[in-house]
Amino acid sequence: MRFKNNYAKKFLPMNKCLTTFIALFMFTSYKAQSQPDMQKIVIHFKHVANGKSLHPDSVYQNPLGETYSVKKLKYYLSNLGFNKQVNTNISLIDAFATDSIKMMLPYPAKKGTFNFQLGVDSIYNCSGAQDGVLDPLNGMFWTWNTGYINFKLEGQSDYATTKTKHFEYHIGGYTGKNKTMRQIRLPYAGTDRTMQLYILVNLDNFWKGQSDIKISTTPVINSPGAIAKSAADNFSGLFSIIQQ
Amino acid sequence: MQNQQQIILAAYLVLFNNSNSILKKIFILAGILFLVLLFFTGAYEKYGPTPLPFVVPKGWPQPPTNIFASNPSTREGFLLGKTLFYDGNLSRDSITSCASCHQYFAAFSTFEHSFSHGIENRFTQRNAPGLFNLAWKTSYHWDGGVNHLEVQALGPITDTNEMGETLDNLLLKLRNNPQYPPLFKAAFGDTAITTKRILKALAQFTGNLVSAGSKYDQVKNGKDSFLPYEQKGYEIYKQYCSSCHSEPLFTNDKFSNNGLGLNKLNDLGRKRITGLSRDSLQFKIPSLRNLKLTPPYMHDGSMGYITQVINYYTVIDSSLPQLDPILKKPIRLSERNKAELLAFLFTLTDTSFTKNKNYAPGEHIIFRH
């Protein structure tokens, strides 16, 4: 605020002064919002297993022949965008609660790639308390071994060796070799201008990808390390764009 | 602030248009006076919380990272943090507070308990350490699993053996407690009560717990001197203890396997965090400061007396696998040497810390740096 400058204008007719002030104020407000290339994009998520929509009451069979049901599927997406233009906002996707997210992105004219990171950048893992989607309230934060759970899948399976037949994959780890954030690039045809993007999340590929995650042998992953890392290597197979 | 200034200015402009010439002059004069006051006395700053500068004691190193970098330390934030620290509402049974296991008079450790009592008579898994000089640490807990002071409190608050509370319920309780909205407003500008603010306020309290007023510190500052046997003990300490329990913090903040072996709780220490076998049975090296007030000792509180600890290090089995190499060198101490060492260690007791009203329950904040 240039208070003194405005006040110096007291010699001008007051109406003019007021008008100048309002004009200045409006100009500064307008300037902050003008971003001509940005568009509001709606990104829709369709979670499936065995070709059926994911539902907490349904039973599925993974590609390794094990039957299971899903109680929880939550994961973080960050740095979403087309080609090299990204929006650094972080989204928490809950398969049973999030149908779509909206964000401002420069929409590409031609085909290219739609990119994002599954997981939370390491800086947010080591700089103290966070809020919004990163609030520990969301149940995606380890209190005993600081860091975010980038991907959480929980459910029931008769193949699980745990007493309660519960399986639990909390995939996290943000440093060095234990990093579980994964960059994902999906080819994008860039033909329609509807500002809608449909992403298929196929859980079948969680179990079988670069490595196998077998409920019977590994019913629980809940710390950073080699097993979490190999589970994270399967992330990229989960996602694809549904061409409309 | 800018918006408020804009509104005030707009109000003046409207008044100028509608008033007669004398009133106009009065308004202009009042306006000039007001603006001069606003800009040259800095009075408007008084609306925000009062900064509480973190002071590094004389001769001490700067903290490795500034824990207040994104959490400016203020009197109001500190007071809120202290109120939360002493409030049993942070636990599920609404009785157990942070201070239940981190007792004011015991340099914020649990006096005479190997494991502290959590809610419903549950035992914790490790000995509650004293809380002081936390700003110089780069990791927290015996296994170093917590990487920032702000997120440390999440562990004890939600752990089923400790305070056993959910964050949702904690927020509900605090929001419905008339004591808190004004405290949050004073500290953070509005009455919103969030996880982030709770954690930041707690970190302002715990991060400001500085213990640097022991006899040792007085001696270092030239205000006191060691008795002859304390001086001898200091020499012994420098020879045998200082590589891990380094001055002036009396810890190097690293991890070590001191040969205690696996306890009945199968506590693997740092290995649980890193997954590395070389970190098996490694635990954070604690500070020796205030040790007279923090019995029992070791990560599991398995040694009740400090003399036991000193004896232990003189008879340690150097053939133990993975024993910290530093401990493989035998420590030979006569009974007299042990007594001298003990006398020195007792000079690390800081009663100015344990009697500091700023840290006691209640609203005292009288920081004078």
Side-chain angles (χ1 to χ4, degrees):
Chain A
M1 255 314 282
R2 283 162 298 281
F3 232 170
K4 289 170 200 163
N5 294 348
N6 274 324
Y7 202 74
K9 286 174 188 156
K10 69 177 189 246
F11 301 108
L12 294 168
M14 279 307 150
N15 286 339
K16 203 172 174 181
C17 185
L18 192 62
T19 321
T20 320
F21 174 69
I22 291 168
L24 257 169
F25 180 72
M26 285 177 72
F27 178 71
T28 44
S29 323
Y30 172 71
K31 208 178 150 192
Q33 286 173 9
S34 65
Q35 291 282 0
D37 297 325
M38 300 299 256
Q39 302 281 351
K40 184 179 265 179
I41 312 283
V42 185
I43 303 163
H44 301 265
F45 293 89
K46 192 169 164 51
H47 295 91
V48 299
N50 297 161
K52 295 181 289 184
S53 280
L54 209 60
H55 193 277
D57 297 330
S58 301
V59 176
Y60 306 93
Q61 189 179 50
N62 71 18
L64 307 168
E66 299 167 320
T67 49
Y68 67 96
S69 63
V70 176
K71 278 195 173 150
K72 207 172 273 180
L73 172 58
K74 286 164 87 177
Y75 51 91
Y76 281 111
L77 298 183
S78 54
N79 303 330
L80 292 96
F82 295 98
N83 302 329
K84 283 178 182 167
Q85 305 273 344
V86 295
N87 183 320
T88 52
N89 287 350
I90 302 165
S91 304
L92 176 58
I93 311 294
D94 180 337
F96 299 130
T98 321
D99 290 329
S100 63
I101 52 173
K102 295 181 183 72
M103 58 172 59
M104 299 303 290
L105 283 174
Y107 205 78
K110 289 182 283 186
K111 67 176 183 177
T113 53
F114 179 69
N115 313 313
F116 57 88
Q117 171 177 270
L118 196 151
V120 179
D121 279 343
S122 61
I123 182 76
Y124 298 108
N125 285 272
C126 55
S127 18
Q130 308 292 327
D131 53 9
V133 293
L134 295 179
D135 194 317
L137 206 54
N138 293 312
M140 296 291 278
F141 188 77
W142 277 317
T143 58
W144 56 279
N145 187 357
T146 308
Y148 285 93
I149 298 168
N150 290 321
F151 179 97
K152 185 186 242 188
L153 173 66
E154 292 176 13
Q156 292 288 123
S157 170
D158 288 338
Y159 291 83
T161 48
T162 53
K163 273 183 195 162
T164 52
K165 301 289 169 197
H166 177 75
F167 67 83
E168 187 173 290
Y169 303 113
H170 292 181
I171 312 299
Y174 68 94
T175 52
K177 284 182 188 168
N178 289 341
K179 247 181 210 167
T180 52
M181 300 84 93
R182 290 293 181 270
Q183 303 300 326
I184 294 167
R185 286 183 174 74
L186 306 176
Y188 169 70
T191 46
D192 66 279
R193 301 288 294 166
T194 55
M195 309 301 160
Q196 312 278 320
L197 194 68
Y198 293 83
I199 291 185
L200 183 75
V201 186
N202 188 351
L203 206 53
D204 295 346
N205 297 332
F206 173 79
W207 314 99
K208 202 169 171 59
Q210 290 188 34
S211 39
D212 289 355
I213 304 294
K214 239 181 155 180
I215 301 174
S216 55
T217 51
T218 315
V220 177
I221 305 174
N222 60 10
S223 58
I227 306 172
K229 199 176 145 264
S230 59
D233 289 337
N234 289 358
F235 287 161
S236 64
L238 292 171
F239 301 90
S240 58
I241 290 181
I242 308 170
Q243 305 291 351
Q244 294 293 303
Chain B
M1 206 59 219
Q2 278 203 356
N3 283 340
Q4 284 175 15
Q5 289 172 351
Q6 283 168 0
I7 290 162
I8 292 162
L9 188 67
Y12 266 95
L13 292 169
V14 170
L15 279 167
F16 291 144
N17 289 335
N18 298 330
S19 47
N20 66 41
S21 63
I22 300 165
L23 259 179
K24 200 185 269 182
K25 276 176 190 163
I26 292 169
F27 274 125
I28 291 170
L29 269 171
I32 292 168
L33 242 157
F34 179 72
L35 291 178
V36 166
L37 274 173
L38 203 66
F39 278 97
F40 295 101
T41 67
Y44 60 96
E45 280 175 1
K46 295 261 160 67
Y47 292 114
T50 316
L52 178 62
F54 181 79
V55 177
V56 176
K58 204 178 131 198
W60 283 33
Q62 285 291 326
T65 54
N66 178 6
I67 55 160
F68 298 117
S70 63
N71 183 23
S73 167
T74 65
R75 282 165 178 256
E76 291 78 1
F78 176 91
L79 179 62
L80 171 59
K82 181 162 88 164
T83 311
L84 291 164
F85 187 87
Y86 284 102
D87 189 349
N89 279 310
L90 266 67
S91 67
R92 198 178 70 206
D93 65 5
S94 297
I95 302 165
T96 312
S97 70
C98 305
S100 307
C101 300
H102 295 286
Q103 298 162 331
Y104 171 57
F105 64 90
F108 295 103
S109 69
T110 310
F111 199 70
E112 290 282 353
H113 283 65
S114 47
F115 299 119
S116 325
H117 302 213
I119 55 166
E120 295 160 358
N121 297 317
R122 294 179 198 190
F123 275 124
T124 56
Q125 310 266 310
R126 288 175 185 153
N127 182 252
L131 305 182
F132 47 82
N133 306 338
L134 303 177
W136 282 267
K137 293 190 172 298
T138 52
S139 65
Y140 302 86
H141 291 181
W142 281 103
D143 55 21
V146 174
N147 68 12
H148 197 291
L149 184 58
E150 281 174 27
V151 291
Q152 185 282 329
L154 285 168
I157 291 170
T158 59
D159 189 291
T160 47
N161 290 322
E162 298 182 48
M163 295 158 91
E165 187 54 288
T166 63
L167 294 175
D168 288 287
N169 205 33
L170 171 60
L171 289 172
L172 198 70
K173 283 196 284 187
L174 296 187
R175 283 169 185 160
N176 288 324
N177 182 334
Q179 181 190 13
Y180 279 107
L183 290 174
F184 276 84
K185 188 175 181 186
F188 296 110
D190 62 64
T191 56
I193 297 177
T194 64
T195 324
K196 187 178 180 176
R197 285 181 173 182
I198 292 170
L199 297 176
K200 284 193 182 276
L202 279 167
Q204 287 195 34
F205 175 64
T206 53
N208 270 306
L209 297 172
V210 176
S211 174
S214 64
K215 178 172 181 183
Y216 161 84
D217 297 292
Q218 301 296 329
V219 172
K220 284 281 155 182
N221 290 327
K223 291 177 185 162
D224 203 341
S225 51
F226 284 135
L227 296 167
Y229 53 92
E230 289 169 345
Q231 180 64 38
K232 188 73 191 22
Y234 183 36
E235 307 299 330
I236 295 165
Y237 152 80
K238 283 200 279 193
Q239 189 179 351
Y240 294 113
C241 320
S242 64
S243 51
C244 294
H245 299 283
S246 344
E247 294 175 84
L249 293 151
F250 287 86
T251 170
N252 59 8
D253 204 36
K254 292 185 175 138
F255 302 89
S256 175
N257 179 343
N258 67 355
L260 279 178
L262 195 62
N263 66 16
K264 289 193 171 123
L265 298 169
N266 290 320
D267 190 344
L268 289 170
R270 183 133 180 91
K271 191 191 172 188
R272 180 172 177 236
I273 302 303
T274 63
L276 302 171
S277 55
R278 65 156 197 253
D279 288 338
S280 180
L281 297 170
Q282 297 226 10
F283 292 90
K284 176 63 75 77
I285 294 163
S287 174
L288 299 180
R289 283 181 174 272
N290 296 310
L291 95 178
K292 191 178 181 181
L293 304 167
T294 62
Y297 305 97
M298 305 301 185
H299 65 275
D300 52 5
S302 54
M303 294 191 188
Y305 298 90
I306 194 64
T307 46
Q308 256 180 301
V309 179
I310 294 173
N311 278 331
Y312 171 75
Y313 284 118
T314 59
V315 298
I316 209 162
D317 176 5
S318 61
S319 67
L320 287 166
Q322 291 186 313
L323 180 73
D324 193 319
I326 273 174
L327 293 169
K328 297 208 175 197
K329 207 174 81 186
I331 299 173
R332 304 260 180 264
L333 294 177
S334 66
E335 290 309 306
R336 185 191 168 92
N337 289 157
K338 288 177 191 172
E340 288 160 341
L341 178 58
L342 191 65
F344 166 70
L345 293 176
F346 283 174
T347 70
L348 298 172
T349 309
D350 181 1
T351 47
S352 74
F353 177 70
T354 57
K355 292 189 166 65
N356 188 332
K357 287 274 182 282
N358 290 325
Y359 306 142
E363 289 195 13
H364 308 274
I365 299 188
I366 45 164
F367 278 100
R368 279 191 207 101
H369 287 305

